[in-house]
Amino acid sequence: MTSFHRGRRLRATPEIRTIMRETAPLLVEDLIQPYFVVETEDQSFRKEISSMPGQAQLSLGQLEKQVEKAVDTGLKSVILFAIPAHKDDKASGAYDANGIVQQAVRLLKKRWPKLFVMTDVCLCEYMSHGHCGILSPEGVVRNDATLPLLAKTAVSHAEAGADMVAPSDMMDGRVAAIRQALDENGLTQVPLMSYSVKYASAYYGPFREAAENAPACGDRKSYQMDPGNAREALLEAYADLEEGADALIVKPAGPFADIIRLVRDHVDVPLCAYQVSGEYSMIRAAGLNGWVDEQAVMLESLMGLKRAGADTIITYFTETLLAQKLAR
């Protein structure tokens, strides 16, 4: 009889499947929970995000309550996004020492010194026009004029106590500008995790509601990457590493698992995958409607990101995973 591969030998029981699994199970340390913090005097303010069931805009008071529950179930890392009370064409709230993100950082670090607090460094939430940089009179984002504002923002976050800053704006040269500003202000030990590979993606739709940062004119395609490009991802990753990035982010995650693998195969620094709002919302909606087993699809999607090469994952499912003890 002709011999053939007996693959089922290593799949026969739960025990042998666990022993032979190539990709490690999700760990608590792998997961980063995003939070949307609202600048308001009403500390009871909590607004559910309709396009992201289970997620909410939170006042500082509500943020503290939410994080308290998550820490009790094992939360290790968060990343903060802002919804300021005031917006202008210079994004002045972004680098205000008493801005909403700065307040949130101080609150979280005072209450939970061991909680790893990251901040998203961008200007879009603070700009009256919703773009990630200074606009020219013709409506073009001015790259070099934006860099000092991003640097000031990162420094203000670090001075407030942020453990890591994560620039997401996609301006050329922003990593070098931020690294230099941090170092000049005595913040040499604050690491920088860059959204190096960030695509102009349709998967960001629900985030626009959550962060209230949709552009008032045009789009972000002139500074975020074209989804059809792969080799460009390596150029962006190498550029940010050369400028001083300590870790890199690929965003979105699931539809760009090939990019995660490509970057992982070419760089040795920690690599984070951002499972974005659209990915989360589609899985949640399908689960809520009974079309899929939400827990199973959630776990499979995240395992796929680890298999692709992600060391850590920013995901809105973090609290769910911890509460249900689905991460070790």
Side-chain angles (χ1 to χ4, degrees), residues 75-147:
L75 181 70
K76 302 294 184 184
S77 305
V78 305
I79 185 167
L80 300 176
F81 297 88
I83 303 164
H86 172 72
K87 302 186 181 192
D88 57 38
D89 62 359
K90 292 291 191 293
S92 58
Y95 40 88
D96 183 342
N98 200 39
I100 184 58
V101 163
Q102 292 83 348
Q103 291 183 56
V105 169
R106 287 192 289 267
L107 178 134
L108 295 180
K109 292 304 294 183
K110 181 179 180 180
R111 179 80 191 274
W112 297 283
K114 297 297 185 182
L115 181 67
F116 196 81
V117 178
M118 289 174 274
T119 59
D120 179 85
V121 176
C122 196
L123 306 180
C124 56
E125 298 104 317
Y126 305 90
M127 287 288 194
S128 52
H129 48 67
H131 275 286
C132 300
I134 297 289
L135 279 190
S136 72
E138 298 75 28
V140 176
V141 174
R142 299 172 59 200
N143 189 96
D144 295 6
T146 300
L147 301 183

Side-chain angles (χ1 to χ4, degrees), residues 35-51:
Y35 289 106
F36 299 97
V37 194
V38 180
E39 187 173 15
T40 176
E41 294 183 1
D42 179 6
Q43 294 308 303
S44 65
F45 180 87
R46 177 188 177 93
K47 181 181 178 182
E48 300 299 321
I49 301 167
S50 63
S51 58

Side-chain angles (χ1 to χ4, degrees), residues 143-144 147 169-178 240 243:
N143 189 96
D144 295 6
L147 301 183
D169 56 283
M170 289 300 284
M171 296 297 113
D172 297 334
R174 92 274 204 208
V175 170
I178 291 171
D240 283 3
E243 292 178 21

